[in-house]
Amino acid sequence: MSISLRYCLDYELRDLIRIERLCFAEPWTRREFQPFIERSRVLVAECNATLDILGFAAYEVSRGEVRIVNMAVEPVAQRRGVGLALVNRLKDKLCPWKRRVLTALVPETNLAAHLFLRSCGFRGSVDPNGYLFRFDVADAPPPTLRLYKPSGA
């Protein structure tokens, strides 16, 4: 499945709410999504073949971290790399000298999210409000340098 990641547009809010209702017992409302959409803080994953929205990640950016506030993937698209692509795009917003940490606060009861975040390289710790997952730039493997040989050489 080929997907594209981009920022959410106002008219796509209905799709986000639909996915949210499919994934959570207490879904976000239009009012909760609106501030993130206005500040371009919602990434959407779109299927290139059908142009359907398969998932989203709402996030906040502060001085030292990027925080995943809400994230969901349509049930039929789960376990197909959509969530991983969203998390990796958010990891790209990290840098050693500015924003070093990507965090997500997850309720203790959401085991699927715990397992998913651990598989993405996050480390979990107990927090009074749930379970806090952190991904630090220092934990990331160093970037690899690839040298390409010109063709015909």
Side-chain angles (χ1 to χ4, degrees):
M1 173 185 331
S2 176
I3 61 170
S4 298
L5 300 177
R6 59 177 176 72
Y7 291 105
C8 184
L9 303 171
D10 285 338
Y11 67 87
E12 297 169 322
L13 186 54
R14 201 172 336 152
D15 291 329
L16 300 188
I17 292 171
R18 180 184 54 77
I19 293 170
E20 180 81 3
R21 285 182 181 151
L22 290 172
C23 294
F24 298 110
E26 296 178 24
W28 273 20
T29 63
R30 176 179 296 277
R31 183 177 290 134
E32 291 166 307
F33 272 111
Q34 201 62 45
F36 292 95
I37 291 175
E38 289 171 359
R39 292 181 312 206
S40 296
R41 296 283 193 255
V42 178
L43 283 175
V44 295
E46 179 180 72
C47 178
N48 288 337
T50 62
L51 301 180
D52 291 333
I53 293 179
L54 302 174
F56 67 87
Y59 63 97
E60 294 175 337
V61 177
S62 65
R63 188 169 182 205
E65 73 177 317
V66 176
R67 178 178 299 132
I68 300 172
V69 180
N70 191 357
M71 183 174 172
V73 175
E74 182 144 8
V76 297
Q78 290 176 356
R79 299 188 181 271
R80 295 191 179 175
V82 176
L84 180 61
L86 288 164
V87 167
N88 285 339
R89 175 65 66 90
L90 292 174
K91 283 180 181 179
D92 289 344
K93 296 185 177 298
L94 302 177
C95 58
W97 56 89
K98 196 172 182 182
R99 290 184 293 270
R100 299 181 49 87
V101 180
L102 176 61
T103 62
L105 187 61
V106 180
E108 287 185 41
T109 56
N110 193 344
L111 181 60
H114 289 223
L115 296 174
F116 169 72
L117 290 170
R118 283 197 184 274
S119 73
C120 292
F122 285 71
R123 293 182 184 182
S125 62
V126 177
D127 186 84
N129 299 321
Y131 213 77
L132 181 67
F133 284 88
R134 294 172 53 92
F135 179 85
D136 195 316
V137 171
D139 297 336
T144 57
L145 177 65
R146 293 183 183 155
L147 299 175
Y148 291 97
K149 193 179 203 181
S151 59

